[in-house]
Amino acid sequence: MIGERMNNEPAFPITDSHQHEYMGMTLRDYFAAQAITGLLSGNHSISITDENIILRYPNAFAKFSYQIADAMLEARKQ
């Protein structure tokens, strides 16, 4: 669990002037957000510019984004 948590640490933690810590989003969430941005940008060989595809399969896009994020976290271990 500790190793897993360390591999999914906060992406942008901050400590304010009163020493309160704010963890923000996890690195996994950040990687997934970046992945879905790329998927929805349309700059790849599979065209998803048809809005109907995105509207019909939003869960698939979200799930795939987290699969990419998990792969990125796994690659960081090596």
Side-chain angles (χ1 to χ4, degrees):
M1 178 66 173
I2 292 174
E4 181 180 321
R5 187 175 66 232
M6 288 180 66
N7 197 39
N8 189 27
E9 66 263 13
F12 305 105
I14 61 167
T15 303
D16 68 14
S17 60
H18 301 289
Q19 299 303 307
H20 296 114
E21 290 186 27
Y22 301 95
M23 303 316 276
M25 72 171 62
T26 66
L27 194 53
R28 182 175 186 252
D29 290 334
Y30 178 73
F31 284 165
Q34 296 300 309
I36 203 162
T37 299
L39 288 170
L40 298 179
S41 72
N43 292 327
H44 40 73
S45 60
I46 300 171
S47 177
I48 59 168
T49 56
D50 180 2
E51 186 176 313
N52 291 326
I53 293 173
I54 297 167
L55 292 175
R56 281 188 304 211
Y57 305 107
N59 292 339
F61 282 92
K63 184 176 179 179
F64 188 48
S65 296
Y66 274 98
Q67 289 173 335
I68 292 169
D70 290 341
M72 293 172 73
L73 288 170
E74 191 62 34
R76 292 180 79 223
K77 294 179 185 178
Q78 300 174 8

